[in-house]
Amino acid sequence: MARINRRRFLKASGAAAVGAKMGIAGILVSHQAPVFAQANTVHILRWNDFVPAADKVLREVFAPEVQKALGLKLNVETVNANDIPARATSAIQSGNGPDIFMILNNYPHLYSSAAVDVSAVAEEVAKAQGGIYDAATQLNRIGGKWVSMPWSMVPALIAYRKSWFDEVGAKTFPKTWKEYHDVGKKLKAAKRPIGQTLGNTFGDAPTFTYPFLWSFGGQETDAKGKVVLDSKETLESVRFMTQFWKDAHDEGGLAWDDSNNNRAFLSGDISASMNGASIYVAALNGADKFKTEKGAPLHTDILHAPLPAGPKGQHGYHTAFNHMVMKYSKNAKGAIEFLRWAHKQENYEKWFTVQKGFAVGPTRAWEKHAMWEKDPVMKPFQTAPLLQKRLMGYQGQPDKKAAEAWNKFIVTVMYAQACSGKMKPEEAVKWAAGELGKIYT
Amino acid sequence: MIAANGKRESVSRLTRLLESEKLLATALLAPGVIILALFIAYPFVMALWYSFTSMRVGDAGEFVGLANFTKAINDTIFQQAFENTVFYTFWATVFKLALGMWLALLLNRHFRFKRVVRATMLLPFIIPTVLSAFAWRWMFDPTFSVMNWALHHAGLITDRLPFLSDGDWAMWCAVAVNTWRGMPFFAITLLAGLQTISPDLHEAAALDGANAWHRFWHVTWPLLLPVTLVVVVFSVIQTFSDFQLIYVLTGGGPANSTHLIATYAYQIGIGSGLLGEGAALSLFMFPVLFAVVWVQLRYLKRMENA
């Protein structure tokens, strides 16, 4: 057997390097790592969609079509939503990673210095599709420049069991928190509590607690950026929540993440929960599996409603999904072209329709899509983004400070401290205001 | 011919150089030192530097002196995370040591299928923490806990136990899972230590009338102490800087009741993009761990000299 010496090894490995022009010997000579990503490849990193069919569209429909239309090879990578910040941080710091990152909520404010300007695409799409929603605009346009492109929003509404609400006398969904409390009390007495997370989890917890706070008149800051959380309105909201929690909720919700309420609802343990449409979509897709106690498909007993109104109005918060083209990308031009292509109505529609309303488009044009006429249960999602009048950090900007408060779960923990009995409502409000004060210095 | 001579000359020069003990030692130590410098010292120095800056993701920031440390000290969530970390480390180490010792003493006896039992016992330690933490999370699930189900069906409880939804319960659950995971490491290491103790010493003590407790306390324990201290040092370091278990099991909740320094530093550094502050938070672990290691190593040295 021929002995392999260093020279022979380098020669052989050089010949074997598939797709590489130079092989290991070449790399050693040129002192340069091979460029694996070809110039016409766009690597996009997104979350594992709660509607898996949507990821399938990206891989099986978008990828071949964009190859044909633009000559771009689309490489779609999906990870758990909670892991995106870690991936983005390491990519930005090392200057190497996916060309496009899908980032949630106000992360565009955190990563703005690492972003390529996508104003041209955003303005084209806004013009062609009836304008981008205000909330999405505030989250993605910083200093007059679009640092990322809004892709979709996942509205958070309350999914509830119609028949169970009927049984306790609620023929329509409660319009106010007070009415919801009264109905919830009866439901919990019937061992059908409301299920809601107040845990340290990225989605359902803050998207519930922030609108709740606003609807009582509480807010984090005033227009000048001064912390004003410690107010009688906030205190009233915490007092209300403490009693509401005890009387009407599954108290295990203090430890729930974003998926617990889906499981609890689908297994018939809770009567209502604020969520995206994923509970309904799962019940619809698993009609044989998820049944009511009477044996009917569960989805036939689910309806959706917006969060009730408080003494100071009605609010909602819908999770925003945005695409950021990274400055370090060697193919930023290709990445922008991909976004321009993907947002064209005839292309975006393919992704949008498989969502069945779980995610809505970033522009008002999608409110008019024929899909909304197919399923009346999903109708409340059609215009849900219009209910989003405020963002984190209100009355200030949804900026880096607001992101820090959001990521520290300060508002959510304020309610959790009081509901768990760890603090009195007054103490919880003072604690939260103090923590906010350290951020807004 | 000239080339061959030149080659021979350079080989002999190399041989002469390597004959020098100093140079040989340097050459042999160099790879280890380089690895340590690259993978331990460099990240540590960088973390130290970051902690003195206002660095954010994508922004190098500027030198801010001790501002990040001051902010952390005044941060009530960090104060709670620090207390939690000390509590978690203390109790988990106590339980791991007690149960690990007990298990090691049992496994040191002769019984059928001894090897199979010893190998099986290592399973919790072998399974990736993320996987086992997920399994425990399911067992403690507020709605679907199998333990609640079993206790309820056995007629022992009427209401569900708040395993993860009550702050105190959640912390004890985390201690329990950490103990379950780390105990085999204690047991197997202590078992190795036990096997180095000559049975003659036990026989002699037994002949002198020592009962089982006296034999353990006056023979086994003193001889096992050096191994025990090393295991405890390792365990304290690993437990104090634990991240995965809490991240998966509770995410630091409810109401921050189970946040540890590592999980909170991650939340600030990665979640909020405040790399400087995150680095400062994580560096609070360093003096504590350094003190633990220093005290215990000093104790070991004193014992060696005695």
Side-chain angles (χ1 to χ4, degrees):
Chain A
M1 193 179 157
R3 201 168 153 232
I4 294 181
N5 57 24
R6 178 179 159 275
R7 187 175 298 275
R8 192 172 292 197
F9 170 73
L10 291 178
K11 216 172 159 185
S13 55
V18 180
K21 282 181 183 170
M22 297 183 291
I24 292 177
I27 294 162
L28 292 175
V29 169
S30 66
H31 301 286
Q32 203 171 19
V35 180
F36 289 111
Q38 291 168 2
N40 60 350
T41 296
V42 170
H43 177 184
I44 180 168
L45 185 133
R46 291 174 45 88
W47 74 325
N48 290 318
D49 205 307
F50 278 7
V51 181
D55 285 341
K56 222 173 157 187
V57 168
L58 294 178
R59 290 195 173 98
E60 294 174 14
V61 180
F62 272 35
E65 286 187 4
V66 82
Q67 171 93 54
K68 211 169 150 191
L70 305 174
L72 282 174
K73 186 175 180 291
L74 186 67
N75 175 12
V76 182
E77 184 187 356
T78 54
V79 297
N80 186 311
N82 276 319
D83 297 331
I84 294 176
R87 285 290 302 270
T89 301
S90 68
I92 293 167
Q93 291 306 116
S94 65
N96 192 19
D99 302 293
I100 302 174
F101 263 101
M102 189 206 80
I103 48 177
L104 303 185
N105 295 319
N106 61 343
Y107 272 93
H109 283 259
L110 288 185
Y111 303 151
S112 57
S113 63
V116 170
D117 186 351
V118 289
S119 300
V121 180
E123 279 154 19
E124 272 171 44
V125 172
K127 199 175 164 194
Q129 298 179 18
I132 293 175
Y133 288 114
D134 282 349
T137 304
Q138 283 189 59
L139 293 171
N140 292 280
R141 194 170 65 181
I142 302 168
K145 188 174 90 176
W146 289 83
V147 298
S148 46
M149 181 64 205
W151 175 253
S152 66
M153 292 169 99
V154 171
L157 300 179
I158 294 176
Y160 66 99
R161 291 288 297 271
K162 173 84 179 73
S163 65
W164 291 1
F165 272 62
D166 280 350
E167 281 174 34
V168 296
K171 300 292 175 198
T172 56
F173 191 79
K175 296 275 180 283
T176 65
W177 287 112
K178 171 81 180 63
E179 287 171 28
Y180 193 30
H181 183 174
D182 294 341
V183 172
K185 207 169 173 177
K186 291 177 195 162
L187 286 162
K188 188 169 178 178
K191 296 203 179 303
R192 291 165 175 174
I194 296 168
Q196 176 60 46
T197 173
L198 283 183
N200 288 14
T201 187
F202 78 95
D204 294 343
T207 51
F208 175 71
T209 53
Y210 276 68
F212 185 84
L213 172 72
W214 296 329
S215 66
F216 278 80
Q219 58 192 62
E220 289 169 279
T221 62
D222 64 14
K224 289 175 187 158
K226 188 183 157 212
V227 173
V228 292
L229 186 69
D230 189 2
S231 64
K232 66 176 193 325
E233 289 84 4
T234 306
L235 181 59
E236 192 193 337
S237 81
V238 177
R239 280 189 180 138
F240 184 94
M241 177 75 92
T242 310
Q243 200 58 45
F244 184 30
W245 190 258
K246 200 173 146 201
D247 292 344
H249 282 83
D250 180 336
E251 291 169 66
L254 285 162
W256 283 6
D257 64 14
D258 282 84
S259 61
N260 281 80
N261 60 341
N262 292 46
R263 291 195 294 270
F265 194 105
L266 292 168
S267 62
D269 283 279
I270 56 172
S271 54
S273 187
M274 193 217 68
N275 204 45
S278 54
I279 289 175
Y280 176 71
V281 173
L284 202 61
N285 292 340
D288 298 336
K289 195 171 148 196
F290 303 114
K291 306 264 185 184
T292 67
E293 62 282 9
K294 288 168 190 153
L298 183 63
H299 70 87
T300 59
D301 193 32
I302 299 175
L303 288 180
H304 294 107
L307 293 177
K312 298 287 166 65
Q314 188 178 24
H315 292 275
Y317 185 91
H318 309 306
T319 306
F321 291 74
N322 320 296
H323 282 143
M324 181 174 273
V325 176
M326 310 310 289
K327 217 179 241 176
Y328 60 71
S329 166
K330 291 183 178 63
N331 193 14
K333 208 176 150 199
I336 291 172
E337 281 315 304
F338 165 70
L339 289 182
R340 181 174 277 120
W341 176 90
H343 276 279
K344 280 188 179 161
Q345 277 179 287
E346 64 272 26
N347 299 322
Y348 188 88
E349 185 182 36
K350 290 167 191 160
W351 181 88
F352 174 76
T353 46
V354 296
Q355 289 279 338
K356 294 179 179 170
F358 173 73
V360 300
T363 58
R364 297 214 55 182
W366 297 102
E367 289 171 21
K368 299 180 188 93
H369 196 276
M371 181 198 76
W372 295 113
E373 304 311 319
K374 283 185 187 163
D375 188 349
V377 179
M378 291 302 294
K379 201 84 172 143
F381 287 83
Q382 185 179 5
T383 52
L386 296 176
L387 198 61
Q388 185 165 5
K389 291 165 276 190
R390 294 180 184 178
L391 289 163
M392 62 284 277
Y394 182 82
Q395 193 173 2
Q397 290 301 307
D399 56 11
K400 289 173 182 172
K401 289 181 176 177
E404 186 181 343
W406 176 277
N407 290 320
K408 278 184 171 176
F409 302 106
I410 290 174
V411 171
T412 301
V413 171
M414 173 177 76
Y415 290 109
Q417 303 267 34
C419 291
S420 64
K422 228 172 133 186
M423 287 184 185
K424 288 179 185 158
E426 296 82 355
E427 292 167 343
V429 173
K430 289 219 177 306
W431 170 84
E435 287 305 311
L436 275 185
K438 288 169 202 162
I439 295 170
Y440 285 92
T441 46
Chain B
M1 188 67 183
I2 293 167
N5 279 344
K7 199 178 174 185
R8 209 174 301 140
E9 203 172 295
S10 69
V11 169
S12 64
R13 198 184 300 156
L14 184 69
T15 318
R16 272 204 306 278
L17 279 174
L18 289 179
E19 272 168 9
S20 152
E21 273 191 19
K22 261 189 184 174
L23 281 175
L24 181 64
T26 311
L28 291 175
L29 283 174
V33 171
I34 290 168
I35 288 171
L36 280 177
L38 271 178
F39 298 109
I40 308 283
Y42 176 71
F44 179 75
V45 171
M46 288 308 287
L48 202 61
W49 166 244
Y50 291 170
S51 70
F52 293 117
T53 68
S54 57
M55 187 181 192
R56 285 171 176 269
V57 179
D59 173 10
E62 55 192 36
F63 183 76
V64 292
L66 293 171
N68 291 334
F69 293 93
T70 319
K71 188 178 173 188
I73 289 167
N74 292 318
D75 179 349
T76 55
I77 306 176
F78 173 70
Q79 289 164 8
Q80 190 178 0
F82 193 91
E83 279 172 27
N84 290 343
T85 310
V86 172
F87 180 93
Y88 176 71
T89 307
F90 177 79
W91 286 111
T93 308
V94 166
F95 288 133
K96 280 187 277 193
L97 178 61
L99 295 171
M101 179 70 81
W102 178 53
L103 202 57
L105 290 169
L106 287 177
L107 291 172
N108 199 30
R109 296 179 176 203
H110 294 288
F111 55 90
R112 285 180 75 185
F113 308 118
K114 190 169 72 177
R115 286 184 184 173
V116 177
V117 172
R118 281 181 185 174
T120 314
M121 191 200 64
L122 276 173
L123 274 176
F125 195 62
I126 295 166
I127 299 170
T129 311
V130 173
L131 277 185
S132 54
F134 261 114
W136 279 102
R137 198 171 102 177
W138 269 102
M139 288 195 272
F140 290 138
D141 189 276
T143 316
F144 304 106
S145 166
V146 67
M147 289 191 268
N148 271 332
W149 182 88
L151 291 169
H152 181 74
H153 281 80
L156 295 172
I157 55 170
T158 47
D159 286 332
R160 289 181 298 206
L161 297 176
F163 290 116
L164 297 180
S165 50
D166 176 278
D168 295 335
W169 277 77
M171 183 45 98
W172 282 111
C173 285
V175 168
V177 178
N178 186 287
T179 304
W180 170 84
R181 191 184 176 277
M183 191 176 64
F185 174 66
F186 271 74
I188 217 76
T189 318
L190 294 175
L191 179 63
L194 281 175
Q195 290 184 339
T196 63
I197 299 173
S198 165
D200 297 350
L201 296 171
H202 282 280
E203 276 175 32
L207 286 174
D208 286 345
N211 61 22
W213 168 249
H214 286 133
R215 287 202 300 278
F216 171 77
W217 190 245
H218 295 289
V219 178
T220 311
W221 178 246
L223 291 171
L224 211 53
L225 198 55
V227 179
T228 310
L229 281 174
V230 172
V231 183
V232 168
V233 169
F234 273 121
S235 173
V236 167
I237 293 169
Q238 282 179 346
T239 315
F240 204 84
S241 56
D242 198 3
F243 171 81
Q244 297 177 70
L245 200 153
I246 295 292
Y247 185 71
V248 174
L249 197 66
T250 64
N256 298 330
S257 307
T258 57
H259 248 321
L260 301 183
I261 298 175
T263 51
Y264 188 52
Y266 177 84
Q267 190 176 305
I268 297 299
I270 304 297
S272 304
L274 301 166
L275 295 176
E277 288 183 28
L281 289 173
S282 60
L283 279 173
F284 273 94
M285 284 190 263
F286 180 71
V288 178
L289 295 179
F290 185 79
V292 170
V293 172
W294 187 75
V295 167
Q296 298 200 356
L297 290 181
R298 212 175 125 87
Y299 183 72
L300 272 180
K301 206 171 178 186
R302 199 188 298 162
M303 281 181 61
E304 274 171 20
N305 294 337

